[in-house]
Amino acid sequence: MSAAPVLHPLTTGAEARSRGPARGLAVVCVNGGQAAAVRGTWSASIEWLVDGLAARFTDLRFVEVRYRVKSWKRLDWCVDDALAAIGVAAAERVLLVGFSMGGAVSVRAAAHPSVTGVLGLAPWLPDELDVSPLVGRRLDVLHGALDRWLPGIPGVSPSSSRRGFERATRLGVEGTYTLIPGAVHGIAVRNRRSGRLLALPRAARWKELVEARVARFRDA
């Protein structure tokens, strides 16, 4: 088992928590969001993944971000929170992992000089998003084939993230785009009563693919 995470107040007023050695390489993970301006929370999907990743990659530092406000209407704030967490990571090289809205946050934060790549998990990459911060970095996208927005149910269409990925490749950005058959938008959810994390369908496949890309980052 990996050690309990260490909490870090960020200069922006957000919060981060980290596991792993405070040097070398870091994986900084950012959450999704919504339209309404609500207080940030820890991502169940990211937490479920990091629990396994930190146990396997004991030589890497994993940093999770809790935004001040998790809303795409405060995207600038979320980007500032991510950049503050990169500062806390204090790593030579950083892989940004962005779930849902965290995809757009990661692309914008990729301009930080220590960032060498972005891994988007069902990433929101709207057509108006400037993907030029990815130039000179790597972009890998994983997306559930059954993901889509439905009334009252959050989601991101794979066709949307595919367009964002292709816009980046036209700028010379290298990477991969992978659809996960049978997977939906999330990887895990949190039981409201117990707080326990519950894996969603195809979570094991998500984990396998994420591990492969984290290993590539580590070994680059």
Side-chain angles (χ1 to χ4, degrees), residues 10-98:
L10 300 178
T11 55
T12 59
E15 191 174 21
R17 59 188 182 190
S18 67
R19 282 181 269 192
R23 63 184 183 279
L25 309 181
V27 179
V28 176
C29 306
V30 288
N31 194 3
Q34 58 190 63
V38 299
R39 186 177 179 182
T41 58
W42 300 112
S43 166
S45 291
I46 287 175
E47 183 178 329
W48 186 87
L49 283 171
V50 169
D51 282 347
L53 292 168
R56 174 178 172 182
F57 298 97
T58 57
D59 53 337
L60 301 182
R61 190 176 200 190
F62 291 88
V63 180
E64 300 169 71
V65 180
R66 181 165 68 181
Y67 305 126
R68 288 164 285 174
V69 176
K70 60 170 191 177
S71 170
W72 55 74
K73 294 183 178 180
R74 294 290 185 269
L75 193 64
D76 288 346
W77 291 13
C78 297
V79 173
D80 287 343
D81 294 342
L83 291 170
I86 293 172
V88 164
E92 298 172 9
R93 290 197 290 121
V94 170
L95 173 67
L96 284 170
V97 177

Side-chain angles (χ1 to χ4, degrees), residues 7 63 78 87 91 133 139 149 170 179 186-187 192 210:
L7 293 176
V63 180
C78 297
L139 173 64
W149 182 88
R170 287 196 292 271
L179 277 178
I187 302 164
R192 292 186 179 182
V210 171

Side-chain angles (χ1 to χ4, degrees), residues 123 125 139-144 157-166 175-180 213:
L125 304 174
L139 173 64
D140 291 292
V141 174
L142 304 175
H143 211 131
S157 168
S159 62
S160 172
S161 68
R162 183 77 199 193
R163 288 197 304 272
F165 176 80
E166 290 175 348
T176 59
Y177 187 97
T178 305
L179 277 178
I180 305 175
R213 282 146 184 83

